[in-house]
């Protein structure tokens, strides 16, 4: 269990009282006009500080723009284009909050965005069997660079950009009141943790409001009992984005031996078990994740009563090769690796890694078995991913019959090209 401290958002710097006036180069201007939420450093022609003495808000003494300052973007003819938040630390220099018309950056705007986000997720917030889901998915919910996940009556913010630091004093109470959260925890992305301006407590996860609790946070997903460990875990402690794919797997696991590769804390494993899998093997390189998978089985004894579960810790590629060599065969293989392409230069390598995993999965699949393979690399397009998996199968002299190609669930809306990261294939091997 990680030790976290409290951070009173009121101690954070105030946003600057005067906005920045920003002008762009033509391609960036076109992108913003088309609704893109990012303005890159290279797209910026000029940044003007309006009416500042230089001692307000995040702005440094020398009057430079600070993280989270409001940026009002104008076109070449000085017509209003968009309003966003300025980030001096990132190549994504501005994240747009509102396109096409001015908006006052502050509590009311944030509350409206949260309300809209909850409305969009009515199918989840009305479902008493699913109490863990994403409430805010950054750009997809008009709060760029900000994530808010709900685990029962606890809430976890994750900041992917320092633009949110001066606005937490308004965002946190709005979220707490709307979600009626007993605890609001704050986390930051790895990049942000390395920034000088990140308050020290947030680097390790800090309580922003309410009860001093840092997890585990219990919740239900489709009436299965899980626990999120926000501080030690990945993302905010659970891969909420795979819920629909796990649901799709459940009825297809009856009577099968299931191999869940890159299992993390066993999300797919539990659904397979409830679906009546004879045996489930969870494979991951992380010991703590596998121990949590075992804990999830203990929490769901009744749902998993027909299933023998075991874990294998180590490198997935190596373990799959060993299983194949040992003659082990499975009716279902789930392959859900981490993002292999963080940069454009890694796309080809990522596609090759997906292909290798497909070939390894084929080697342990029974004839007629089900392959469930996912990619969470936003740089790899859905067409390239599905195409590469099919080609790998064809190269092995086999064929694959697609059952489903899935994308983003309702609580992870993808509204711009770079936002589309998740794709998953359900296919039978012939
Ligand atoms: N399917 C999971 C999420 C998987 S995230 C779920 O539904 O919750 C990716 C997982 O891959 C992480 O748990 C990470 O520990 C694991 N991982 C990364 N590289 C690995 C490797 N080479 N071998 C085995 N596991 C690996």
């Amino acid at each position: 269990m990680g030790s976290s401290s409290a951070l009173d958002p009121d101690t954070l710097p105030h946003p600057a009282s005067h906005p920045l006036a920003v002008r762009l180069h033509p391609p960036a201007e076109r992108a913003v006009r088309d609704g893109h939420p990012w303005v890159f450093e290279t797209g910026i022609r000029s940044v003007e500080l309006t009416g500042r003495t230089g001692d307000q808000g995040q702005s440094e003494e020398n009057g430079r723009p600070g993280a989270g300052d409001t940026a009002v973007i104008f076109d070449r003819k000085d017509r209003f284009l968009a309003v966003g938040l300025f980030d001096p630390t990132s190549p994504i220099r501005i994240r747009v909050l509102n396109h096409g018309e001015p908006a006052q950056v502050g509590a009311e705007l944030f509350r409206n965005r949260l309300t809209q986000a909850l409305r969009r997720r009515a199918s989840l917030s009305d479902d008493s069997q699913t109490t863990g889901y994403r409430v805010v998915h950054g750009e997809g919910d008009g709060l760029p660079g900000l994530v808010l996940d709900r685990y029962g009556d606890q809430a976890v913010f994750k900041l992917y950009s320092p633009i949110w630091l001066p606005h937490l004093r308004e965002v946190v109470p709005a979220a707490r009141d709307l979600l009626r959260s007993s605890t609001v925890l704050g986390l930051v992305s790895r990049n942000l943790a390395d920034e000088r301006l990140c308050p020290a407590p947030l680097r390790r996860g800090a309580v922003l409001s309410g009860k001093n609790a840092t997890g585990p946070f219990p919740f239900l997903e489709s009436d299965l009992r899980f626990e999120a460990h926000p501080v030690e875990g990945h993302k905010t402690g659970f891969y909420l984005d795979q819920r629909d794919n796990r649901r799709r797997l459940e009825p297809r696991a009856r009577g099968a031996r299931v191999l869940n590769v890159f299992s993390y804390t066993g999300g797919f494993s539990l659904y397979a078990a409830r679906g009546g899998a004879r045996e489930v093997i969870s494979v991951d390189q992380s010991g703590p994740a596998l121990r949590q998978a075992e804990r999830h089985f203990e929490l769901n004894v009744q749902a998993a009563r027909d299933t023998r579960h075991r874990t294998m810790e180590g490198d997935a590629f190596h373990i799959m090769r060993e299983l194949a060599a040992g003659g082990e065969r499975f009716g279902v293989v789930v392959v859900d690796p981490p993002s292999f392409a963080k940069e454009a230069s890694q796309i080809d390598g990522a596609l090759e890694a997906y292909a290798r995993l497909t070939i390894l999965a084929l080697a342990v699949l029974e004839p007629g078995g089900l392959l469930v393979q996912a990619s969470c690399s936003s740089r790899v397009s859905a067409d390239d991913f599905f195409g590469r998996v099919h080609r790998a199968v064809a190269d092995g002299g086999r064929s694959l019959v697609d059952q489903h190609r899935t994308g983003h669930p309702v609580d992870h809306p993808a509204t711009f090209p770079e936002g589309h990261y998740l794709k998953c294939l359900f296919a039978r091997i012939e």
Side-chain angles (χ1 to χ4, degrees), residues 262-309:
F262 305 99
S263 67
Y264 191 50
T265 58
F268 281 100
S269 302
L270 264 298
Y271 281 72
R274 188 171 61 185
R278 185 154 47 90
E279 183 184 0
V280 177
I281 302 182
S282 301
V283 178
D284 205 282
Q285 70 183 10
S286 158
L290 290 177
R291 283 193 285 284
Q292 185 62 32
E294 279 161 358
R295 162 102 179 125
H296 284 151
F297 271 83
E298 287 160 18
L299 288 172
N300 294 280
V301 173
Q302 190 55 24
R305 63 184 179 277
D306 299 330
T307 308
R308 197 166 87 87
H309 176 242

Side-chain angles (χ1 to χ4, degrees), residues 234 238-243 246 260-269 283-286 289 312-319 334-340 376:
H234 300 181
F238 199 74
Y239 285 84
L240 295 166
D241 53 0
Q242 288 288 16
R243 178 184 52 249
R246 292 193 274 256
N260 180 12
V261 192
F262 305 99
S263 67
Y264 191 50
T265 58
F268 281 100
S269 302
V283 178
D284 205 282
Q285 70 183 10
S286 158
M312 294 180 78
E313 182 179 336
D315 174 57
F317 293 83
H318 178 75
I319 289 176
V334 180
V335 183
D336 179 24
S339 171
F340 288 142
C376 63

Side-chain angles (χ1 to χ4, degrees), residues 174-246:
R176 178 198 60 211
D177 295 348
L178 272 171
L179 302 180
R180 287 187 285 278
S181 306
S182 60
T183 296
V184 181
L185 191 68
L187 305 173
V188 296
S189 66
R190 210 165 301 152
N191 315 349
L192 180 47
D194 292 338
E195 286 294 336
R196 187 179 48 83
L197 50 77
C198 181
L202 266 182
R203 294 186 179 142
R204 298 180 301 276
V207 174
L208 299 172
S209 162
K211 265 207 317 258
N212 198 336
T214 60
F217 291 161
F219 66 99
L220 295 176
E221 190 186 86
S222 318
D223 214 23
L224 287 166
R225 299 174 65 194
F226 290 106
E227 290 174 342
H229 289 261
V231 178
E232 304 84 353
H234 300 181
K235 295 200 175 208
T236 64
F238 199 74
Y239 285 84
L240 295 166
D241 53 0
Q242 288 288 16
R243 178 184 52 249
D244 288 354
N245 291 326
R246 292 193 274 256

Side-chain angles (χ1 to χ4, degrees), residues 35-342:
H36 201 285
W38 293 345
V39 177
F40 289 94
E41 179 185 6
T42 48
I44 294 184
R45 194 151 56 89
S46 67
V47 178
E48 244 175 86
L49 298 138
T50 62
R52 295 219 185 159
T53 57
D55 58 359
Q56 292 125 331
Q58 286 262 304
S59 303
E60 297 175 10
E61 315 76 63
N62 55 9
R64 268 189 288 163
D69 285 2
T70 298
V72 181
I73 306 173
F74 297 97
D75 73 7
R76 269 160 294 175
K77 296 188 177 146
D78 271 343
R79 286 172 306 201
F80 175 91
L81 265 183
V83 58
L85 297 176
F86 195 84
D87 179 357
T89 69
S90 164
I92 304 175
R93 196 47 53 97
I94 298 170
R95 295 187 190 238
V96 174
L97 277 172
N98 218 44
H99 286 91
E101 54 188 78
Q104 186 66 41
V105 177
E108 195 188 333
L109 176 77
F110 300 146
R111 230 183 356 256
N112 288 341
R113 293 285 153 95
L114 287 168
T115 307
Q116 283 165 9
L118 272 176
R119 209 169 290 143
R120 192 170 295 144
R121 290 155 174 81
S123 60
L124 291 162
S125 55
D126 292 347
D127 171 8
S128 60
Q129 300 193 335
T130 297
T131 62
Y133 55 93
R134 178 151 294 185
V135 176
V136 171
H137 184 60
E139 282 74 354
D141 287 300
L143 295 169
L146 189 69
V147 153
L148 174 62
D149 288 342
R150 174 181 222 172
Y151 294 112
D153 73 345
Q154 4 254 335
V156 184
F157 273 107
K158 188 152 183 177
L159 278 55
Y160 288 85
S161 161
I163 58 178
W164 289 102
L165 292 171
H167 302 289
L168 281 181
R169 75 181 65 241
E170 290 175 324
V171 175
V172 170
R176 178 198 60 211
D177 295 348
L178 272 171
L179 302 180
R180 287 187 285 278
S181 306
S182 60
T183 296
V184 181
L185 191 68
L187 305 173
V188 296
S189 66
R190 210 165 301 152
N191 315 349
L192 180 47
D194 292 338
E195 286 294 336
R196 187 179 48 83
L197 50 77
C198 181
L202 266 182
R203 294 186 179 142
R204 298 180 301 276
V207 174
L208 299 172
S209 162
K211 265 207 317 258
N212 198 336
T214 60
F217 291 161
F219 66 99
L220 295 176
E221 190 186 86
S222 318
D223 214 23
L224 287 166
R225 299 174 65 194
F226 290 106
E227 290 174 342
H229 289 261
V231 178
E232 304 84 353
H234 300 181
K235 295 200 175 208
T236 64
F238 199 74
Y239 285 84
L240 295 166
D241 53 0
Q242 288 288 16
R243 178 184 52 249
D244 288 354
N245 291 326
R246 292 193 274 256
R247 286 178 175 170
R248 218 177 261 284
L249 170 67
E250 179 171 346
R252 295 173 166 80
R254 175 152 304 283
R257 280 192 92 201
V258 176
L259 182 65
N260 180 12
V261 192
F262 305 99
S263 67
Y264 191 50
T265 58
F268 281 100
S269 302
L270 264 298
Y271 281 72
R274 188 171 61 185
R278 185 154 47 90
E279 183 184 0
V280 177
I281 302 182
S282 301
V283 178
D284 205 282
Q285 70 183 10
S286 158
L290 290 177
R291 283 193 285 284
Q292 185 62 32
E294 279 161 358
R295 162 102 179 125
H296 284 151
F297 271 83
E298 287 160 18
L299 288 172
N300 294 280
V301 173
Q302 190 55 24
R305 63 184 179 277
D306 299 330
T307 308
R308 197 166 87 87
H309 176 242
R310 67 190 166 101
T311 62
M312 294 180 78
E313 182 179 336
D315 174 57
F317 293 83
H318 178 75
I319 289 176
M320 288 171 89
R321 258 193 303 274
E322 300 259 288
L323 288 170
E328 305 262 5
R329 294 296 177 265
F330 298 87
V332 179
V333 177
V334 180
V335 183
D336 179 24
S339 171
F340 288 142
K342 303 250 191 257

